[in-house]
Amino acid sequence: MSRKSTKIGPKASKWAASARLAWAAMADLEALRFEALGGHCELYSAGPAALTDVRAWVDAMHDRLTRFEPGSELSRFNAAAGRWIDVSPDLEALLDASLDAYASSDGLVHVGVLPALLAAGYTRDFASGPTSPSGEIRIAPPLPEMLDVRPGRARLREGTSIDLGGIAKGWLADRAVERIGRNALANFAGDLRARGAGPNGEGWPIGFGTTTVLLRELGAATSGTAGRRWGDGLHHLIDPRTGLPAKTDLTAVSVLAPTGLEAEVLAKTALLLGREAGARLLDERGLGSYLT
């Protein structure tokens, strides 16, 4: 397995893998693990915290943002394509974040690839299994041409639809730690955000590539093509340039960045760019990276 040497940013340092085991021995470390947002979620607090309340908020956001339930806010927004519709402050913020991610990634992080995902066979929750690919190639128009956002309202171009996917996970991790407290970590299916000095005052230890790093006021994310794969060349990462599952010489990219959302956008962009161009991007804009 080839890899790029891990680059560690100014607020993350190397740490022995055994550091993770020390968490369980700390009486004041609160932890909660559960399934949501399409994967495994974890909440941690170095001190008393109402983690069950934060979980309830995550579950509520999951229900609002899933594309797999016709009654969710996201599904209702997609169904209303072609006309303006009232949206909640949270959905409005995520739509704005999606436009920002599109711009910062030169169009590679594109929430409008949902029709291409459906055509590839990802039509229902992954645990329920895929459906047969349609063979149709669906290339989404540029996101600013298909999505308009105003205060409290938004509109999709008729015939288009969106999947907030990883952007929602990074965005929610950033907000979850604010809800937990001053010293917290949130991990939503691989999109993380750390706040505060961690359980022992030196940062929050997380696995990063083949090592462990300590995070303080940083985000981290991993994007890859191996986890949600259902056939030869069929996986969940759509290249908006082709409308098909991405063909890249990278299997996974892990990134450190100031926020979980920024880390998610950088990781996905680098994965789609491929090893050489992706490594250059992360050298310029990431605080730490690991490519396989």
Side-chain angles (χ1 to χ4, degrees):
M1 178 180 292
S2 59
R3 67 181 177 89
K4 175 181 180 289
S5 297
T6 306
K7 181 184 72 170
I8 304 300
K11 293 185 180 180
S13 60
K14 290 184 179 179
W15 188 250
S18 60
R20 290 188 233 178
L21 302 178
W23 293 17
M26 297 182 181
D28 60 348
L29 183 69
E30 301 283 340
L32 186 61
R33 302 172 183 87
F34 56 99
E35 296 295 318
L37 307 173
H40 185 63
C41 298
E42 300 172 304
L43 303 174
Y44 295 97
S45 176
L51 296 186
T52 55
D53 291 345
V54 180
R55 176 186 176 169
W57 172 77
V58 174
D59 287 338
M61 292 301 295
H62 171 100
D63 291 343
R64 288 171 56 189
L65 300 174
T66 180
R67 67 176 172 94
F68 300 113
E69 293 296 334
S72 73
E73 184 178 11
L74 178 62
S75 293
R76 287 185 278 110
F77 179 60
N78 282 332
R83 58 187 176 88
W84 287 96
I85 185 174
D86 292 341
V87 295
S88 68
D90 289 326
L91 182 55
E92 179 188 337
L94 274 163
L95 296 177
D96 283 332
S98 298
L99 288 166
D100 290 343
Y102 181 89
S104 68
S105 66
D106 290 329
L108 290 180
V109 178
H110 193 329
V111 297
V113 297
L114 178 55
L117 270 174
L118 299 176
Y122 195 1
T123 60
R124 54 190 181 184
D125 185 276
F126 196 75
S128 300
T131 54
S132 297
S134 70
E136 185 179 7
I137 297 177
R138 302 290 300 272
I139 298 178
L143 188 62
E145 296 180 12
M146 60 175 279
L147 174 64
D148 296 301
V149 184
R150 296 176 182 172
R153 306 192 78 200
R155 178 180 62 182
L156 278 172
R157 181 197 288 190
E158 188 174 0
T160 67
S161 55
I162 63 172
D163 177 12
L164 294 172
I167 284 181
K169 292 187 297 179
W171 186 88
L172 289 168
D174 292 333
R175 279 146 188 81
V177 292
E178 300 292 332
R179 288 174 172 267
I180 295 171
R182 296 181 179 275
N183 199 358
L185 176 74
N187 172 18
F188 294 154
D191 283 20
L192 298 89
R193 177 64 184 273
R195 186 185 188 202
N200 62 3
E202 296 185 27
W204 288 94
I206 69 158
F208 191 78
T210 59
T211 187
T212 303
V213 296
L214 288 168
L215 296 191
R216 297 184 67 170
E217 308 299 337
L218 287 178
T222 297
S223 184
T225 61
R228 299 193 178 197
R229 182 177 287 272
W230 56 93
D232 185 23
L234 297 174
H235 56 79
H236 75 290
L237 185 68
I238 299 294
D239 188 332
R241 297 168 295 188
T242 65
L244 297 170
K247 293 182 179 180
T248 172
D249 59 354
L250 290 167
T251 301
V253 176
S254 297
V255 179
L256 303 180
T259 68
L261 177 57
E262 290 174 79
E264 163 67 26
V265 172
L266 283 173
K268 184 171 291 184
T269 303
L271 190 68
L272 288 167
L273 285 172
R275 185 175 302 278
E276 185 176 346
R280 285 199 303 268
L281 171 76
L282 297 179
D283 282 340
E284 294 171 0
R285 295 169 55 185
L287 299 178
S289 57
Y290 188 94
L291 289 74
T292 57

